[in-house]
Every structure is written in structure tokens, then in C-alpha cells.
Amino acid sequence: MSYDENLASRLRALLADEDAVAEKKMFGGLGFLINGNMCVSASSTGGLLVRIDPADTDAVLAPPHVAVMKMRGRSMAGWIGRSRPKALKTSASFAPWVKRGVAFVKTLPPK
């Protein structure tokens, strides 16, 4: 499955005022990078992937539609997925997550 084009368009709109944003096709999805660091992605599974501070991983897992990303069977602290279509229905429902991803990658050195 490829990424959701509508979700990608809404991510573009949310990131429009940010500097140094780039898009990159990755793992069947579309990643959005700031200064070379991926902050969010329209994933190939149809959901949203958000990069957060790894120390905050356990604290954000309370909602039922939020899970730690797994790659090749391994949990990836600092990478949170929102996969339920209902949770992605409106930009307002995931805009705080996008802001969180942007805020975290701005703490990282540019690549």
C-alpha cells in the first residue's frame, strides 16, 4: 500500500510555514524532513508516523490509536504511529502531533 495522498497534502499545509522542509519517499511512504531530519511521515500503511523525543515514548502511548513504530519486528522508541483512520480524519486531530514532531527535530543538529 502506498501513502495516503490526502494525508500528505494536509501535512504539507501544516508544515507550510516551516523553514527547510523537504519531502522524501521512504519505505513506501512520504517523509517530511526539517533540516534533513524526518519529523513526520504519511506512512505506507495509511497512517501517520511522528518523531518524538525517545524519552517521551511511554508517556504518549495512552490513546488507543497511538503505538510505537516497529521496523523488522523491533520497537523504535521515539517513533510513534497513529494508524486509525478516525484519528486522521481531520488535520486538527493530528496537528498537535505534527507540532510535536517539528519541535523535536528542531532540537537536533542539521544533517
Side-chain angles (χ1 to χ4, degrees):
M1 175 182 212
S2 65
Y3 63 90
D4 180 340
E5 291 282 353
N6 183 39
L7 176 59
S9 293
R10 291 186 289 149
L11 288 170
R12 279 185 201 99
L14 288 171
L15 296 168
D17 293 334
E18 296 294 333
D19 293 327
V21 175
E23 296 180 20
K24 185 174 182 181
K25 290 186 179 183
M26 308 169 79
F27 311 110
L30 183 64
F32 292 84
L33 298 83
I34 294 179
N35 294 319
N37 294 295
M38 187 166 76
C39 60
V40 295
S41 174
S43 79
S44 61
T45 60
L48 176 72
L49 179 64
V50 181
R51 189 168 185 187
I52 65 167
D53 185 332
D56 294 341
T57 300
D58 290 338
V60 302
L61 296 177
H65 53 275
V66 177
V68 175
M69 180 187 133
K70 290 188 180 187
M71 183 174 270
R72 296 185 180 149
R74 209 175 106 201
S75 294
M76 308 289 289
W79 295 92
I80 303 300
R82 290 177 53 107
S83 58
R84 296 213 176 140
K86 185 177 180 182
L88 302 174
K89 193 171 184 174
T90 66
S91 296
S93 67
F94 62 84
W97 288 96
V98 174
K99 288 179 185 180
R100 187 177 198 142
V102 168
F104 176 67
V105 299
K106 285 183 175 182
T107 69
L108 303 174
K111 288 187 175 181

